[in-house]
Amino acid sequence: LYVYGYNYLRSQCAYDVAPGGLLASVYHLTRIEYGIDQPEEVCIKVFAPRKKPRIPSVFWVWKSADFQERESYDMLGISYDKHPRLKRILMPESWIGWPLRKDYIAPNFYEIQDAH
């Protein structure tokens, strides 16, 4: 898409589609041109299996994906192939699990677990 003029990665995020289901990585791209007041935009969703989710990184095309892909890795466990610094960005390296997955159970937080 970069060669078609989509030279700006407005945002990248990820979410858990359904408990036990797929994970999704979402990219919002914009075509920025000089003097244009209505830029074209496109939204791309890439789905990955819950077990060993892997998606090619777009870091080498849009450098602004750096921290955004790292956050998606940290919160949902999606690995972005060929990302130069794919490591946790919000949680400590010792953290176990992926906090934004719908099937995540917070360790030692029994109030939520006992409510089910």
Side-chain angles (χ1 to χ4, degrees):
L1 290 172
Y2 186 85
V3 297
Y4 292 108
Y6 292 93
N7 53 4
Y8 178 62
L9 175 68
R10 189 164 37 102
S11 69
Q12 183 278 330
C13 63
Y15 66 96
D16 191 346
V17 177
L22 297 172
L23 301 174
S25 186
V26 182
Y27 301 86
H28 293 97
L29 301 168
T30 304
R31 182 184 296 184
I32 303 290
E33 296 178 22
Y34 178 75
I36 191 167
D37 61 347
Q38 296 287 325
E40 293 181 38
E41 298 177 350
V42 67
C43 177
I44 307 288
K45 290 184 183 180
V46 180
F47 296 96
R50 181 175 226 80
K51 187 178 181 180
K52 295 186 180 180
R54 299 189 75 82
I55 295 173
S57 175
V58 299
F59 171 82
W60 301 105
V61 179
W62 296 284
K63 300 293 187 205
S64 60
D66 184 11
F67 291 117
Q68 296 174 56
E69 287 182 343
R70 284 179 61 192
E71 183 178 355
S72 296
Y73 165 74
D74 194 7
M75 296 287 104
L76 291 156
I78 299 172
S79 291
Y80 292 89
D81 291 338
K82 298 194 170 129
H83 189 285
R85 293 176 290 279
L86 194 61
K87 61 181 182 176
R88 290 202 183 261
I89 190 169
L90 300 171
M91 306 301 286
E93 286 291 330
S94 60
W95 195 267
I96 297 172
W98 316 107
L100 289 185
R101 287 194 182 187
K102 292 181 179 177
D103 55 0
Y104 178 74
I105 297 174
N108 301 322
F109 197 72
Y110 300 105
E111 292 84 358
I112 291 178
Q113 296 173 23
D114 293 339
H116 297 291

